[in-house]
């Protein structure tokens, strides 16, 4: 059982606001309530945002044979076809009715770091097929990381930590940061029959920055324990980001801050979005923060490395790559 309502209202945080304490208070309230908020005045030009969406559309309009040449590899770089991902296996009939493209931190193949999970060279469409595509995506990747670090500083203050807590090399100084282009075909979702644009899930990492077109589709469930689930739409915000916390930050904060269930429900309109997932470095130990535990609220989770945690979460939600070579997917 579930019910859907109209749009929810989210706090707006302006990165150009000189009153940092106001931003901290707004963010803290949002993180305790739903783990979702808007970020405005982030410094990425509207021109670049528009260009990323235009280039994304160009890629997804390519013939399937061209896109499959860039099929997601074992490093989770490249193209993910329709139904490749199943985020809510208990309630989904097939998989997500979306296609995507992963772009991570560029690490040359001859660099020893490229042997680590989620690091390595990206897969890029050829310049002949999509000129300027790589250049635009790499610029956006850099800019989005800058924004994410600004948001992380406000999060640190909201958790009563030093402002630069997440800036250290083992945190966001050497991050696992992944850009994912997403395209939802013009299909009508039917939750009662297990058909979704994207199944209900929470994000794995620290924070996610989401830019969307003007087509409504994202829904959040603020209380996953309530029955029936109440789903509320999140309105798109032109030029801004919808930001949400991931499970890793919920774990770090000992469940004080929320990582919230969300999904995409489609109305028959094509939809494009661009997600930017930010996680700390491979060796970062995710354990209860000193400001989030007490005698009455001891740590709820054992320490774990970021790399081990993410590897398992990706494995749990994506199709086995051998399925494509076997002709099953």
């Amino acid at each position: 059982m579930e019910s859907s309502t109209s749009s929810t209202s989210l706090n707006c945080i302006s990165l150009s606001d000189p009153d940092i304490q106001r931003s901290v208070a707004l963010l803290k309230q949002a993180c305790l309530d739903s783990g979702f908020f808007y970020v405005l005045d982030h410094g990425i030009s509207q021109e670049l945002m528009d260009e990323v969406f235009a280039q994304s559309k160009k890629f997804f309009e390519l013939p399937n044979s061209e896109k499959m040449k860039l099929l997601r590899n074992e490093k989770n770089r490249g193209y993910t076809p329709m139904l490749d991902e199943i985020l809510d296996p208990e309630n989904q009939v097939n998989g997500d009715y979306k296609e995507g493209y992963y772009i991570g931190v560029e690490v040359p193949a001859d660099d020893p770091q490229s042997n680590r999970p989620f690091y390595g060279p990206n897969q890029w469409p050829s310049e002949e097929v999509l000129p300027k595509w790589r250049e635009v995506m790499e610029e956006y990747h850099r800019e989005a990381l800058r924004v994410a670090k600004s948001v992380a500083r406000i999060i640190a203050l909201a958790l009563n930590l030093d402002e630069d807590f997440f800036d250290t090399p083992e945190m966001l100084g050497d991050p696992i940061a992944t850009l994912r282009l997403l395209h939802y075909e013009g299909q009508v979702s039917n939750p009662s029959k297990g058909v979704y644009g994207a199944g209900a899930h929470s994000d794995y990492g620290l924070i996610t920055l989401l830019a969307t077109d003007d087509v409504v589709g994202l829904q959040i469930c603020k209380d996953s324990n309530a029955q029936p689930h109440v789903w509320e739409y999140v309105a798109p915000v032109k030029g801004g980001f919808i930001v949400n916390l991931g499970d890793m930050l919920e774990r770090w904060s000992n469940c004080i801050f929320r990582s919230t269930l969300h999904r995409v429900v489609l109305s028959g309109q094509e939809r494009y979005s661009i997600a930017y997932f930010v996680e700390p470095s491979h060796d970062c130990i995710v354990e209860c923060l000193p400001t989030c535990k007490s005698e009455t609220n001891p740590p709820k989770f054992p320490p774990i490395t970021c790399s081990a945690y993410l590897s398992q979460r990706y494995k749990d939600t994506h199709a086995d790559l051998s399925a494509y070579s076997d002709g099953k997917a």
Side-chain angles (χ1 to χ4, degrees):
M1 284 289 293
E2 63 176 56
S3 66
S4 295
T5 64
S6 56
S7 294
T8 188
S9 60
L10 298 180
N11 284 354
C12 292
I13 290 149
S14 166
L15 293 187
S16 65
D17 189 341
D19 185 353
I20 188 71
Q21 290 311 317
R22 177 165 49 200
S23 297
V24 170
L26 285 168
L27 182 141
K28 189 168 189 173
Q29 182 188 40
C31 293
L32 293 169
D33 174 43
S34 68
F36 272 77
F37 49 92
Y38 294 120
V39 166
L40 308 173
D41 307 317
H42 44 66
I44 301 179
S45 71
Q46 190 60 51
E47 184 184 14
L48 177 56
M49 301 281 277
D50 291 344
E51 185 63 14
V52 175
F53 274 98
Q55 293 293 341
S56 172
K57 193 166 188 286
K58 282 181 182 177
F59 173 79
F60 290 120
E61 286 174 344
L62 290 174
N64 207 48
S65 56
E66 280 292 320
K67 292 185 286 193
M68 288 301 284
K69 289 177 187 175
L70 296 160
L71 179 68
R72 169 178 64 90
N73 60 22
E74 71 284 350
K75 297 283 191 179
N76 278 298
R77 306 296 179 86
Y79 176 62
T80 54
M82 289 284 173
L83 309 181
D84 175 80
E85 194 171 13
I86 182 158
L87 290 166
D88 185 11
E90 286 184 23
N91 295 303
Q92 279 180 272
V93 175
N94 296 313
D96 289 358
Y97 281 88
K98 69 176 192 292
E99 54 184 343
Y101 200 94
Y102 282 115
I103 301 165
V105 176
E106 182 73 25
V107 179
D110 57 0
D111 186 318
Q113 290 271 26
S114 71
N115 294 319
R116 315 190 82 172
F118 310 107
Y119 268 20
N122 284 298
Q123 299 198 79
W124 299 107
S126 72
E127 278 287 314
E128 292 74 37
V129 175
L130 291 176
K132 273 181 60 188
W133 201 85
R134 174 174 179 170
E135 182 186 326
V136 169
M137 296 306 163
E138 289 190 321
E139 182 183 358
Y140 184 78
H141 197 291
R142 285 192 301 273
E143 286 288 290
L145 182 58
R146 175 187 57 74
V147 174
K149 287 179 176 180
S150 296
V151 174
R153 290 182 194 112
I154 303 173
I155 290 172
L157 291 171
L159 287 167
N160 299 316
L161 301 163
D162 290 340
E163 185 177 8
D164 61 357
F165 179 83
F166 292 110
D167 285 339
T168 58
E170 64 271 19
M171 297 276 188
L172 296 181
D174 194 13
I176 301 170
T178 305
L179 173 60
R180 194 176 189 198
L181 312 174
L182 293 163
H183 170 229
Y184 298 86
E185 60 179 18
Q187 193 233 23
V188 178
S189 297
N190 188 337
S192 65
K193 294 189 176 174
V195 177
Y196 303 90
H201 65 287
S202 53
D203 290 348
Y204 317 147
L206 188 67
I207 56 172
T208 304
L209 309 181
L210 181 72
T212 73
D213 60 15
D214 57 4
V215 177
V216 174
L218 177 66
Q219 293 184 333
I220 65 174
C221 173
K222 290 181 182 177
D223 186 356
S224 58
N225 295 318
Q227 292 297 335
H229 280 170
V230 176
W231 291 95
E232 299 174 89
Y233 280 103
V234 175
V237 56
K238 177 73 172 173
F241 287 111
I242 299 165
V243 180
N244 65 282
L245 309 184
D247 297 342
M248 203 177 286
L249 189 55
E250 181 174 273
R251 188 176 178 126
W252 240 325
S253 71
N254 214 20
C255 297
I256 292 172
F257 280 4
R258 305 273 307 282
S259 173
T260 295
L261 273 183
H262 51 286
R263 67 186 189 182
V264 174
V265 173
L266 304 167
S267 60
Q269 277 182 285
E270 204 176 19
R271 181 175 181 267
Y272 289 88
S273 66
I274 298 164
Y276 190 76
F277 302 102
V278 184
E279 284 93 29
S281 72
H282 289 81
D283 299 327
C284 180
I285 305 289
V286 180
E287 59 184 333
C288 184
L289 295 165
T291 56
C292 298
K293 59 186 175 185
S294 64
E295 283 186 22
T296 54
N297 187 25
K300 295 177 174 63
F301 307 98
I304 189 171
T305 66
C306 176
S307 181
Y309 180 76
L310 286 177
S311 294
Q312 187 56 51
R313 292 296 300 269
Y314 270 85
K315 189 167 173 253
D316 289 344
T317 54
H318 287 73
D320 189 328
L321 285 170
S322 64
Y324 294 104
S325 54
D326 294 346
K328 294 174 190 165

